[in-house]
Amino acid sequence: MPETVADLSESELLARFVPRLSAGRQTLHGPGDDAAVVAVPSGSIVVTSDVLVEDRHFRRDWSTGVDVGWRAAAQNLADVAAMGARPTSIVVALVMPRDLAVAWVVELAEGLAAACAPHDVGIVGGDLSSGREISVAVAAFGELDGAAPVLRSGARPGDRVALAGTLGRSAAGLTALTAGGEVVVEGAEVAVATYRRPEPPLLAGPEAARAGATAMLDVSDGLLRDAGRIASASGVAIDLDPRLLAPDVEALAELAEELGADAASWVLTGGEDHGLLATFPAGHPLPPSFRRIGVVGAGCGVTVDGVAPDLVGWDHFGG
Amino acid sequence: MPETVADLSESELLARFVPRLSAGRQTLHGPGDDAAVVAVPSGSIVVTSDVLVEDRHFRRDWSTGVDVGWRAAAQNLADVAAMGARPTSIVVALVMPRDLAVAWVVELAEGLAAACAPHDVGIVGGDLSSGREISVAVAAFGELDGAAPVLRSGARPGDRVALAGTLGRSAAGLTALTAGGEVVVEGAEVAVATYRRPEPPLLAGPEAARAGATAMLDVSDGLLRDAGRIASASGVAIDLDPRLLAPDVEALAELAEELGADAASWVLTGGEDHGLLATFPAGHPLPPSFRRIGVVGAGCGVTVDGVAPDLVGWDHFGG
């Protein structure tokens, strides 16, 4: 039996894939961070790409075409912002079955525009092709406006860990949709809206860069996992403070109870709100979009109040 | 019955889609040409995106992973060059079924790199996702190095029509594969190689821009159709000279006879060699990569020796 994709984790597959790629002389930061940086004479652009695939990343009975277009754009713009850059433009490659309603495709365009236009992000090109399933591949670009890119690798012991945006709402929305199907569970409206149309705090990215952030990424796979990426890339330990995350948990507690779910799990492991997680040197005020949620220490890995994540339960957040 | 994608042509679908997209202030040239141009302080980047989908654009029994990676990159780099730009980098969003062999994915990376590295093009990021079928969405970027982008709309009556690269070979290769399956028809090696790994004349793009090309695109859908795009965008007529295309037809004549095909059809309607078709003002020497194949006149549409394309047959090229 030949080895198949199913045999490997994503990181194992990437470890096979990425070393075979070429790096041009103008590549300042290639694969491995939220976005890549390519030199331009007396300037630089930030470039990233993410794809949404039907039935893997979205379901058409849970999300409209507008929702899917919005998400496809927003998750890419978040990656640009997570480098400390200001997104300027995207391109879109759309694959779709031939029996897809034109109205859905039109909605998708509207959703892309709705996520982009308020941020002066141009949708500057793309490609349409038929295929067996819908996929929406977006590449996004942004500018650093003279700032250095904020990578994942710069966190230092003593730095504060801070967050811009929300945690756990998208995961809560997905749980509500799973429980209720098309009928949105009462009280889940905000969570479902965040799942359908996340609003990454895009301005917080450049704000963090100007404030001297030492590391940053967007929380797309959950706080614990993404904090672990900063810890690993920076060679440090991150300890999260459950008291500072308690408001996030509290905000979802009622819905969690109704759904028989765990609000703390949503907050710690739910991705796709696309908030920005960053580290800042101690002794300076945090930029206004950010709030402190933990601290960087020597060592490795992520803990919550000093405890390994798989041992963290709700009661850590209750008091 | 709701209207579906199958009810519309690509251009009709684009006419519904594109007007709904947003244009940022930094978008100098958005959708509608081979690539888009986005301003960068004291510079500009060229951005484009194209996707290859399994069983629509390639078959795994006819193309290796290396071939598919090569084509995915090359067709995007050709779009960048067709603006008069020098490609600098690409990002790749790959969707693949979970039972796909890892070796194939690794080959794909090698093919991407093989097409990019010789041109100092960096592969700077991307995304991998599972899905029901393979699709490879590439976004490519390039720099104009101070030149103005060469659009499709600048051709003027009296300009010469010129081509860099080959015509009809990829179409001939596809015909040979269709006829022979995996066994390559004798004498079809060069054509099949062009189908599998087209070599767009990338350096000819900036060369044309420096030489004052008035319009340019890459021939991806066939000479007649793509010449028609320049004619339409520029509001001019284009007349192709069959004597100047005779060598291209002649080079494929033997293979065409063997396969019961029409070499002139390959040359006039076969795409995906990704040669560059450009117009240049009369009275100046053409840049070295280009050869004359026709002339721009007043009016509209494309003719071959003054005759409408659907009336053009082999005998126009024989003598």
Side-chain angles (χ1 to χ4, degrees), chain A residues 96-102 105 130, chain B residues 3-9 13:
Chain A
M96 60 212 152
R98 286 180 56 77
D99 65 356
L100 180 63
V102 171
V105 182
S130 65
Chain B
E3 188 182 34
T4 73
V5 170
D7 297 325
L8 300 188
S9 70
L13 187 58

Side-chain angles (χ1 to χ4, degrees), chain A residues 51-59 71 195 272, chain B residues 129-130:
Chain A
V51 61
L52 289 182
V53 181
E54 182 173 13
D55 293 335
R56 177 171 162 82
H57 300 106
F58 66 90
R59 283 173 50 161
R71 268 181 72 194
Y195 168 75
E272 304 196 339
Chain B
S129 173
S130 65

Side-chain angles (χ1 to χ4, degrees), chain B residues 50-139:
Chain B
D50 260 328
V51 60
L52 290 181
V53 181
E54 181 172 16
D55 294 334
R56 176 170 161 83
H57 301 106
F58 66 90
R59 284 173 50 159
R60 264 190 279 167
D61 53 345
W62 289 355
S63 294
T64 66
V66 177
D67 295 336
V68 174
W70 177 291
R71 268 182 72 196
Q75 69 177 14
N76 276 281
L77 302 184
D79 277 335
V80 170
M83 300 294 283
R86 173 177 56 87
T88 59
S89 32
I90 68 170
V91 294
V92 184
L94 173 62
V95 177
M96 59 212 153
R98 285 180 57 78
D99 64 356
L100 180 63
V102 170
W104 197 92
V105 182
V106 167
E107 281 187 19
L108 185 90
E110 290 170 344
L112 290 165
C116 288
H119 301 283
D120 189 31
V121 171
I123 302 168
V124 299
D127 191 19
L128 304 177
S129 173
S130 65
R132 271 179 281 173
E133 68 192 344
I134 302 174
S135 71
V136 190
V138 170

Side-chain angles (χ1 to χ4, degrees), chain A residues 13-102:
Chain A
L13 187 57
L14 284 171
R16 307 273 187 102
F17 194 88
V18 173
R20 291 178 167 81
L21 303 177
S22 59
R25 267 199 307 276
Q26 292 190 224
T27 306
L28 301 179
H29 296 286
D33 221 286
D34 293 288
V37 183
V38 180
V40 172
S42 70
S44 57
I45 53 163
V46 168
V47 181
T48 185
S49 180
D50 259 328
V51 61
L52 289 182
V53 181
E54 182 173 13
D55 293 335
R56 177 171 162 82
H57 300 106
F58 66 90
R59 283 173 50 161
R60 264 189 280 167
D61 52 344
W62 289 355
S63 294
T64 65
V66 177
D67 295 335
V68 174
W70 177 292
R71 268 181 72 194
Q75 69 177 12
N76 277 280
L77 303 184
D79 278 334
V80 170
M83 301 295 283
R86 173 178 55 87
T88 59
S89 32
I90 68 170
V91 294
V92 184
L94 173 62
V95 177
M96 60 212 152
R98 286 180 56 77
D99 65 356
L100 180 63
V102 171

